[in-house]
Amino acid sequence: MAWFRKSGKKTPGASEEDLWTVCPSCKAHIYKQEWEAELKVCPKCNYHARISCTERRDLLIDAGTWREYAGHVTTSDPLVFSDAKGPYKEKAAAAKAKTGLKESVLTGDGKLGGIPVSMAIMDFRFLGGSLASGTGEKITLTAEHAARHRWPFIIFSASGGARMHEGIISLMQMAKTCAAIARLNELKVPYISVLTDPTTGGVSASFAMMGDINIAEPRALIGFAGRRVIEETIKQKLPDDFQTAEYLLEHGFIDHIVSRKDMKEYLHRVLQYGKRR
Amino acid sequence: MAWFRKSGKKTPGASEEDLWTVCPSCKAHIYKQEWEAELKVCPKCNYHARISCTERRDLLIDAGTWREYAGHVTTSDPLVFSDAKGPYKEKAAAAKAKTGLKESVLTGDGKLGGIPVSMAIMDFRFLGGSLASGTGEKITLTAEHAARHRWPFIIFSASGGARMHEGIISLMQMAKTCAAIARLNELKVPYISVLTDPTTGGVSASFAMMGDINIAEPRALIGFAGRRVIEETIKQKLPDDFQTAEYLLEHGFIDHIVSRKDMKEYLHRVLQYGKRR
Amino acid sequence: MALDFEKPLEEIENRISELKKLNEKADVSFDTEISALERKLRSTSKRVYSKLSPWETVQIARHAERPLLRDYIAGLCTEFLELHGDRCFGDDQGIIGGFATLRQHRVMVIGHQKGRSVEEKIEANFGMASPDGYRKAMRLMHLAAKYKLPIVSFIDTPGAYPGLEAEARGQAEAIARNLTEMSLLPVPVIVVVTGEGGSGGAIGIGVGNVVLMLSNAVYSVISPEGCASILWRDGSKAPEAAAALKITADSLAEQGIIDEIIPEPEGGAHRDPNAAIESTGDAIVKHLRRLKKMSAKRLIDHRYDKFSKIGRFKSRK
Amino acid sequence: MALDFEKPLEEIENRISELKKLNEKADVSFDTEISALERKLRSTSKRVYSKLSPWETVQIARHAERPLLRDYIAGLCTEFLELHGDRCFGDDQGIIGGFATLRQHRVMVIGHQKGRSVEEKIEANFGMASPDGYRKAMRLMHLAAKYKLPIVSFIDTPGAYPGLEAEARGQAEAIARNLTEMSLLPVPVIVVVTGEGGSGGAIGIGVGNVVLMLSNAVYSVISPEGCASILWRDGSKAPEAAAALKITADSLAEQGIIDEIIPEPEGGAHRDPNAAIESTGDAIVKHLRRLKKMSAKRLIDHRYDKFSKIGRFKSRK
Ligand SMILES: [Zn+2]
Ligand SMILES: [Zn+2]
């Protein structure tokens, strides 16, 4: 696989820890090379670990065909927000430095098995994949770009919800992005939503739920309200499978659960049905 | 009230029975004159007894404005159907003789508080208000008539469901009438559905449920499957209020419950909002 | 599993196989007798199946080995991407659907699922769909409209599920909405009645530009048993009711309700499922080719005309 | 029911009423003292209310006596025909709606209902709507579109209900669908934030051509308490969070999110509900007159432009 990071740091005498990784779900020890070869999916329990937007892009887009779109858009600080841990500006700067991204979503177009597509891929590492002005703007601009070219639009969601630090403007991105999706519907441009771990709050309650078909990765957490908030509200424990992809499938909100290794092929198949005719 | 029948048979020395009627619901004895003055609504328990299509028309349509439409349509016997009790033809003839109607629905147009409306009023006395070729044809023709004139269309349903005696053609009237309603929607012509006791089976599962707003008379029986069939299927007793208008209101299928005496005024109010603008 | 009226055939078949066994063991040859019996089997077969009563047809339409939706999909579609959910409450298994490539045509397939094994049957509620099934079907049909995909709808249900929950969540509303919204679909809709066309539960996904029907399928306003118990006050009069209701493909063609009868192998589709499935595919593709040439507006008008003329009253009649 | 920061005012008010009582009984007159106190009350009032902190504004926005949707309807509408049901599952009372005649304009009113009495509050789930509430609202908005009626949407909710059932029946889907479908409504949509504009539960009926806001209402991506417990890890830091989130009408106007601030009587709408309600009616009618002149296409484009420019990135900035 093209996208997994070469373990460049490995030196002679590397400790055991460098060779093994621990599955965050079942705690099994997996040989790092296998972990990467399995696309960060646990071979023991099928846990789909979170991956970066570029890793995901490389898994899906034909080599050499990706063109970033709206890449100039970055975070804003309309409220000059600051909390207990300091200014939002610094937090955002740190996120940028850590990830090399300018916002919580990577947007662009490319070919998926030869089919031109427009794509937005959220990255949970960037401030929890939160939806803020830049995120909404990038998704909207890319949806409009897709509309102009009549390219199918695919969003991979991974988000804890709206980003508080940009206040009401973050909330408004729910309406803004959904309006862009509505225009795709009017133009009969396919829109596929893929929900990955986690897709919650304002993202689940906007574009992520509005796909022509909604696909999820296995066991992804998907929901509107947080588990703790719900338990406090209803004063009872929630079932274990609550807000999993499987739970949502059963309740009618997800069309299909697709493993990471099958995702590209599945999307390619689906897109055949959305071809212009 | 113009519509109640004069008790013309009353002669000197009439027995007590001629003066009193028994409420079919609470079994209270009601003075006949009161029963009629109350529009056949029980003053003790608010039971709305079934009334004929002409009684209902006279309650709603401004005097002198009614014009029957599609009045030539009558029953057909495409299957030359006969059952244990004899030929359908005879049954239909008997219904016609008894009611003076040609089919289970009265269709036409008139003014409701000055507003021109198209209307279909089912009559339970005519073979249980069953939906057959003539019923569906009359409703469809009248809906098309309403569409041409852009008159609001109002259906009063009262039906046990599709009429078996005309076989599959009765079933097809569900699709036929709904297609006519769909055309009204396309043209933005208001369609109000009023569900009266009983509205079940193929009528509940077609035009009766498709009003811009669905209104019901108090305690009307409304449902898809019969109570006995359901109890046999699920092997348990159903709650008392099951399939009542009140139950359907609670479950989101009815907009409002309107008493018979308020019906004309309520419809008149609603129609103000559906005026062409 | 022979049906009652198939007993004579079963007897002949049994005798043939006995003789064949003897043929292998014994010195004497029974070839002549076997040939005679086989001739008799063919003629008896022809006689039995050519004059099936409507009630016997019902038995075939409900036959446990009759091909089901999953068999048609497996036989006709090189690809089936099942889609799930009504986006509102659940994912009923009484109606399933998804993208399918049917003999090279990309379509949306929807249809009743009855289930073959006991587990499947329970999961699918024996093909009796709930409101979420009808709502899922409508969602998929709207998706087909967006993607300009023809819709192929397979009908095979005893009826919509008559349960408390189904009533509470709007069985009537769900069917009514489908009837209304299907009438405006801007894509070809081909309906195939493959087994039982049970009342409102059937027509709830049955508003097509063409309605095809297998030769031993039935399609009825009410089940023969239900009709018998109401009009004869005796459920055992189902055969009489079945006859009176005129629910067989021949009768429905005469009544102008269906557009084409798809011939089944002698004895019914279950005696040669592949042949039945192939014939069904042929018929679907034939109509698909024709309908695909129509504009969206023409398709909608065509469907409207088709249904509005059913029961059209002719005063001279 | 005085709020904390209103305590000084309450004290002055109490002394005035004591003196007034004495005035009646005693021979000496306290008129001079009373006049002085009344002057003091006015100036203190002005001082207190003119520099309310965001957190104090939240208190006013949530005030138990603040006018609720039913009060606005009673005050502004000569007729309200409440309509019920989502046609799918139920009739949530957290959002209500119906035909209304608002100052002679026929409109569709929808909005959150909080309830005044304990019973009403429980019935309305304290204004926290469930998916059926959002679906009912959308159904009524589609009906308004059919009837070409402007929509007036009143926002006053702590947020969408975070319950197990609400999640299971698609709280996220219901809100998302509203956001999507509201953007295409071919009629004027006027949104008024009258009290609490709580997050997704608020915007779920909040996609308007204009968004108005009462001067002491708040509108926020998250409740101050929720924000404090996440970002300060201390729920008691809600006042700080309220300030940081910039959730008051003034701040939202500065951010270009709302189109007009509806002035409230000094001390808040609850101190003179009729005045607040009348001002709200004035503002609604003003915008209604303007929007009614726009074509369906223009209204849709106008709404799209309004929202798509929120958070529009300017590279030079
Ligand atoms: Zn694992
Ligand atoms: Zn009574």
Side-chain angles (χ1 to χ4, degrees):
Chain A
M1 289 294 123
W3 55 264
F4 68 79
R5 305 235 184 84
K6 301 214 174 58
S7 48
K9 287 177 199 160
K10 202 156 82 171
T11 48
S15 75
E16 278 295 291
E17 273 167 32
D18 286 345
L19 290 170
W20 298 89
T21 194
V22 177
C23 166
S25 176
C26 72
K27 313 295 174 201
H29 283 63
I30 321 284
Y31 194 44
K32 253 189 190 165
Q33 219 168 326
E34 188 184 4
W35 177 251
E36 298 290 340
E38 296 287 337
L39 319 177
K40 298 187 178 168
V41 173
C42 175
K44 307 277 187 245
C45 75
N46 198 34
Y47 173 75
H48 281 54
R50 293 164 187 170
I51 59 175
S52 74
C53 56
T54 46
E55 284 172 326
R56 211 178 274 285
R57 175 201 59 199
D58 294 345
L59 270 177
L60 297 163
I61 294 293
D62 303 345
T65 66
W66 178 258
R67 291 181 304 182
E68 194 173 357
Y69 188 76
H72 64 292
V73 177
T74 183
T75 56
S76 300
D77 186 16
L79 310 184
V80 197
F81 192 93
S82 198
D83 62 29
K85 283 177 254 159
Y88 165 50
K89 231 180 189 103
E90 287 174 14
K91 215 171 191 173
K96 287 175 205 174
K98 184 182 83 178
T99 59
L101 303 172
K102 288 187 190 162
E103 244 307 351
S104 59
V105 66
L106 172 69
T107 45
D109 55 78
K111 290 192 173 171
L112 190 155
I115 304 174
V117 295
S118 224
M119 202 176 270
I121 309 173
M122 301 188 79
D123 195 313
F124 193 76
R125 297 171 308 152
F126 195 101
L127 300 173
S130 52
L131 173 64
S133 64
T135 326
E137 174 78 340
K138 289 184 80 172
I139 289 172
T140 303
L141 290 175
T142 309
E144 288 170 348
H145 180 56
R148 278 189 299 275
H149 292 275
R150 304 292 197 275
W151 289 333
F153 187 42
I154 304 172
I155 303 184
F156 277 76
S157 295
S159 173
R163 189 180 305 159
M164 290 169 273
H165 314 73
E166 295 190 18
I168 196 81
I169 289 178
S170 294
L171 185 71
M172 293 297 140
Q173 302 310 308
M174 293 169 64
K176 173 169 167 169
T177 51
C178 281
I181 299 304
R183 296 228 151 169
L184 292 180
N185 290 338
E186 290 287 287
L187 294 169
K188 304 197 186 305
V189 173
Y191 163 50
I192 315 293
S193 172
V194 188
L195 298 91
T196 75
D197 186 64
T199 298
T200 61
V203 168
S204 76
S206 61
F207 54 83
M209 221 24 110
M210 283 292 105
D212 298 332
I213 71 170
N214 297 332
I215 307 167
E217 281 194 338
R219 288 165 59 199
L221 170 70
I222 303 166
F224 176 66
R227 197 181 178 91
R228 219 188 46 203
V229 173
I230 300 170
E231 288 186 337
E232 278 168 17
T233 305
I234 64 171
K235 320 270 183 232
Q236 61 186 79
K237 284 288 285 179
L238 292 166
D240 276 347
D241 72 336
F242 187 66
Q243 293 186 329
T244 58
E246 292 72 15
Y247 180 91
L248 269 90
L249 179 71
E250 197 184 317
H251 284 81
F253 300 103
I254 296 287
D255 282 282
H256 198 46
I257 293 175
V258 181
S259 285
R260 189 167 292 162
K261 67 173 166 34
D262 302 325
M263 188 61 79
K264 180 168 181 171
E265 195 203 335
Y266 186 81
L267 287 172
H268 189 259
R269 285 175 170 217
V270 163
L271 291 175
Q272 303 298 326
Y273 294 89
K275 267 189 186 163
R276 289 187 72 69
R277 59 177 66 82
Chain B
M1 288 295 124
W3 56 263
F4 68 80
R5 304 232 185 85
K6 301 213 174 60
S7 47
K9 286 179 199 159
K10 201 155 83 172
T11 48
S15 74
E16 279 294 293
E17 273 168 32
D18 286 346
L19 291 170
W20 297 90
T21 195
V22 177
C23 168
S25 177
C26 72
K27 312 296 173 200
H29 283 62
I30 321 284
Y31 193 45
K32 255 190 187 165
Q33 219 167 329
E34 189 185 1
W35 177 251
E36 298 290 340
E38 296 287 337
L39 319 176
K40 298 187 178 168
V41 173
C42 175
K44 307 276 189 244
C45 74
N46 198 34
Y47 173 75
H48 281 55
R50 293 165 188 170
I51 60 175
S52 74
C53 56
T54 45
E55 283 172 327
R56 212 178 275 283
R57 175 200 58 198
D58 294 346
L59 271 176
L60 297 163
I61 294 293
D62 303 346
T65 66
W66 178 257
R67 292 181 304 183
E68 194 172 357
Y69 187 76
H72 64 291
V73 177
T74 183
T75 56
S76 298
D77 186 16
L79 310 185
V80 198
F81 192 93
S82 198
D83 62 30
K85 282 176 256 158
Y88 164 51
K89 231 180 189 104
E90 287 174 14
K91 215 172 190 172
K96 287 175 203 173
K98 184 181 83 177
T99 60
L101 303 172
K102 288 188 191 160
E103 244 308 349
S104 58
V105 67
L106 172 69
T107 45
D109 55 78
K111 290 192 172 171
L112 190 155
I115 303 174
V117 295
S118 225
M119 202 176 272
I121 310 173
M122 301 188 80
D123 196 312
F124 193 77
R125 296 171 309 152
F126 195 100
L127 301 173
S130 51
L131 172 64
S133 65
T135 327
E137 173 78 341
K138 289 184 80 171
I139 289 171
T140 302
L141 290 175
T142 310
E144 289 170 347
H145 181 56
R148 278 190 298 275
H149 293 275
R150 304 291 197 273
W151 289 332
F153 186 43
I154 305 172
I155 302 184
F156 277 76
S157 295
S159 173
R163 190 181 305 159
M164 289 169 275
H165 314 72
E166 296 190 18
I168 196 80
I169 290 179
S170 294
L171 185 71
M172 294 296 141
Q173 303 310 308
M174 293 169 64
K176 173 170 168 169
T177 52
C178 282
I181 300 303
R183 296 229 150 169
L184 292 179
N185 289 339
E186 289 287 287
L187 295 168
K188 303 195 186 308
V189 173
Y191 163 50
I192 314 294
S193 172
V194 188
L195 298 91
T196 75
D197 186 63
T199 298
T200 60
V203 168
S204 76
S206 60
F207 55 83
M209 224 20 110
M210 283 291 104
D212 298 332
I213 72 170
N214 297 332
I215 307 167
E217 281 194 338
R219 289 166 56 199
L221 170 71
I222 303 165
F224 177 65
R227 197 182 178 90
R228 219 188 46 202
V229 174
I230 299 170
E231 288 186 337
E232 277 167 18
T233 305
I234 64 171
K235 319 272 184 231
Q236 61 185 81
K237 285 287 286 180
L238 293 165
D240 275 347
D241 72 337
F242 187 68
Q243 293 186 329
T244 58
E246 292 72 15
Y247 181 90
L248 268 90
L249 180 71
E250 197 183 316
H251 284 83
F253 300 103
I254 296 287
D255 283 282
H256 198 45
I257 293 175
V258 181
S259 285
R260 189 166 293 161
K261 67 174 167 31
D262 303 325
M263 188 61 80
K264 180 168 181 172
E265 195 203 334
Y266 186 81
L267 287 172
H268 189 260
R269 285 175 170 215
V270 163
L271 291 175
Q272 303 298 325
Y273 293 90
K275 268 189 184 164
R276 288 188 71 67
R277 58 177 67 83
Chain C
M1 294 216 321
L3 302 167
D4 275 353
F5 58 90
E6 294 177 317
K7 288 281 150 67
L9 301 173
E10 202 185 26
E11 273 170 35
I12 303 171
E13 278 168 348
N14 289 345
R15 279 169 58 198
I16 292 172
S17 64
E18 275 166 32
L19 288 177
K20 279 188 175 162
K21 269 184 213 149
L22 285 177
N23 236 2
E24 282 167 27
K25 293 180 198 162
D27 295 332
V28 274
S29 163
F30 294 99
D31 286 350
T32 327
E33 288 82 352
I34 290 173
S35 298
L37 281 171
E38 280 174 342
R39 274 194 303 279
K40 189 176 175 189
L41 181 64
R42 278 194 295 276
S43 64
T44 314
S45 227
K46 205 160 205 166
R47 187 166 44 75
V48 166
Y49 291 124
S50 63
K51 58 163 188 60
L52 287 177
S53 74
W55 182 240
E56 286 164 348
T57 307
V58 169
Q59 304 314 307
I60 293 183
R62 294 175 181 169
H63 197 285
E65 287 150 34
R66 193 169 175 82
L68 300 176
L69 176 52
R70 296 264 185 213
D71 303 311
Y72 285 94
I73 290 172
L76 296 175
C77 302
T78 49
E79 179 171 75
F80 178 55
L81 300 177
E82 186 171 348
L83 302 174
H84 294 273
D86 66 349
R87 297 288 186 272
C88 169
F89 181 85
D91 181 47
D92 187 53
Q93 291 300 301
I95 291 179
I96 62 166
F99 294 129
T101 302
L102 189 156
R103 296 245 186 111
Q104 263 130 48
H105 294 267
R106 293 210 173 84
V107 299
M108 179 68 78
V109 162
I110 58 165
H112 299 103
Q113 165 169 251
K114 275 187 167 176
R116 181 79 65 198
S117 68
V118 174
E119 297 75 32
E120 283 170 359
K121 280 183 171 133
I122 290 169
E123 187 195 44
N125 209 6
F126 302 88
M128 294 182 288
S130 284
D132 26 326
Y134 292 98
R135 292 185 181 128
K136 172 170 67 174
M138 201 61 236
R139 178 178 83 82
L140 296 183
M141 291 190 274
H142 285 306
L143 175 53
K146 177 173 172 183
Y147 284 10
K148 299 198 174 81
L149 294 171
I151 294 160
V152 185
S153 174
F154 290 83
I155 289 182
D156 188 16
T157 179
Y161 184 60
L164 188 152
E165 282 278 304
E167 292 282 324
R169 290 190 281 103
Q171 192 67 283
E173 195 276 348
I175 291 173
R177 184 164 303 280
N178 282 18
L179 298 177
T180 308
E181 295 185 1
M182 282 187 85
S183 79
L184 296 176
L185 286 168
V187 292
V189 182
I190 294 179
V191 173
V192 192
V193 185
T194 60
E196 281 184 278
S199 192
I203 200 166
I205 55 168
V207 185
N209 291 92
V210 297
V211 180
L212 315 177
M213 194 163 165
L214 270 80
S215 54
N216 289 305
V218 292
Y219 195 178
S220 179
V221 65
I222 185 171
S223 71
E225 293 90 334
C227 180
S229 80
I230 296 170
L231 295 185
W232 276 261
R233 302 202 175 279
D234 177 358
S236 74
K237 292 283 194 279
E240 283 84 341
L245 287 167
K246 302 217 166 66
I247 62 183
T248 59
D250 281 341
S251 300
L252 290 169
E254 263 174 50
Q255 293 173 69
I257 302 299
I258 60 165
D259 298 273
E260 185 172 332
I261 299 175
I262 301 168
E264 294 183 33
E266 192 177 76
H270 61 286
R271 295 197 161 252
D272 187 351
N274 289 340
I277 291 168
E278 290 304 315
S279 305
T280 304
D282 294 344
I284 292 171
V285 165
K286 186 177 76 180
H287 289 283
L288 209 46
R289 287 220 176 92
R290 187 170 59 86
L291 295 172
K292 271 180 156 183
K293 290 177 194 144
M294 293 189 189
S295 69
K297 188 184 176 313
R298 177 85 190 87
L299 285 163
I300 293 169
D301 288 345
H302 175 264
R303 212 177 303 120
Y304 189 89
D305 293 344
K306 178 184 172 62
F307 280 86
S308 66
K309 77 163 196 267
I310 298 177
R312 179 109 301 173
F313 187 75
K314 293 167 200 84
S315 17
R316 307 260 171 71
K317 200 179 182 177
Chain D
M1 293 217 322
L3 302 168
D4 274 353
F5 58 90
E6 294 176 316
K7 288 282 150 67
L9 300 172
E10 203 185 26
E11 273 169 36
I12 302 171
E13 278 169 348
N14 289 344
R15 278 168 60 198
I16 293 173
S17 66
E18 275 166 32
L19 289 176
K20 279 187 174 164
K21 269 184 212 150
L22 285 176
N23 235 2
E24 282 168 25
K25 294 178 197 163
D27 296 332
V28 274
S29 162
F30 294 100
D31 286 350
T32 328
E33 287 82 352
I34 290 173
S35 297
L37 281 170
E38 281 174 343
R39 273 195 304 279
K40 189 176 174 190
L41 181 65
R42 278 194 297 276
S43 65
T44 313
S45 226
K46 204 159 205 166
R47 188 164 44 74
V48 166
Y49 290 124
S50 62
K51 56 164 191 58
L52 287 176
S53 74
W55 182 242
E56 286 164 349
T57 307
V58 169
Q59 306 313 307
I60 293 183
R62 295 175 180 170
H63 197 286
E65 287 150 34
R66 192 169 175 83
L68 300 177
L69 176 53
R70 296 264 186 212
D71 303 311
Y72 285 94
I73 291 172
L76 296 176
C77 302
T78 50
E79 179 171 75
F80 178 56
L81 300 177
E82 187 171 347
L83 302 173
H84 294 273
D86 65 350
R87 295 290 184 272
C88 169
F89 181 85
D91 181 49
D92 186 53
Q93 291 300 301
I95 291 178
I96 63 166
F99 294 130
T101 302
L102 189 156
R103 296 246 187 110
Q104 263 130 48
H105 294 266
R106 293 211 172 81
V107 298
M108 180 67 78
V109 162
I110 58 164
H112 299 101
Q113 166 169 250
K114 276 187 167 176
R116 181 79 67 198
S117 68
V118 174
E119 297 75 34
E120 283 170 359
K121 280 182 172 135
I122 290 168
E123 187 194 46
N125 209 4
F126 303 87
M128 293 181 289
S130 285
D132 27 324
Y134 291 98
R135 293 186 181 128
K136 172 170 68 174
M138 201 61 236
R139 178 177 84 81
L140 296 183
M141 290 190 274
H142 285 305
L143 175 53
K146 177 173 173 183
Y147 284 9
K148 299 199 175 79
L149 294 171
I151 294 160
V152 185
S153 174
F154 290 83
I155 289 182
D156 188 15
T157 179
Y161 184 59
L164 189 151
E165 281 279 304
E167 292 282 324
R169 290 190 282 101
Q171 192 67 284
E173 195 275 348
I175 291 172
R177 184 165 304 279
N178 283 17
L179 297 177
T180 308
E181 296 185 2
M182 281 187 86
S183 80
L184 297 175
L185 286 167
V187 293
V189 182
I190 295 178
V191 173
V192 192
V193 186
T194 60
E196 282 184 278
S199 191
I203 200 167
I205 56 169
V207 184
N209 290 92
V210 297
V211 180
L212 316 177
M213 193 164 166
L214 270 80
S215 54
N216 289 305
V218 292
Y219 196 178
S220 180
V221 65
I222 186 171
S223 70
E225 293 90 334
C227 180
S229 80
I230 295 170
L231 295 186
W232 276 262
R233 303 203 174 278
D234 178 357
S236 74
K237 292 283 192 279
E240 281 85 340
L245 287 167
K246 301 217 166 65
I247 62 183
T248 60
D250 282 342
S251 299
L252 290 168
E254 264 174 49
Q255 293 173 68
I257 302 299
I258 61 165
D259 298 273
E260 186 171 330
I261 299 174
I262 300 169
E264 293 184 33
E266 193 177 77
H270 61 285
R271 296 196 160 253
D272 187 351
N274 289 339
I277 290 168
E278 289 306 313
S279 305
T280 303
D282 294 344
I284 291 171
V285 165
K286 186 178 75 181
H287 289 282
L288 210 46
R289 288 218 177 93
R290 187 170 59 86
L291 294 173
K292 271 180 157 183
K293 290 177 194 144
M294 293 189 189
S295 70
K297 189 185 174 312
R298 178 85 191 84
L299 285 164
I300 293 168
D301 288 345
H302 175 262
R303 213 177 302 120
Y304 188 89
D305 293 344
K306 178 184 172 60
F307 281 85
S308 65
K309 77 164 196 266
I310 298 178
R312 178 108 303 173
F313 187 75
K314 293 167 199 85
S315 19
R316 307 260 171 70
K317 201 178 179 176

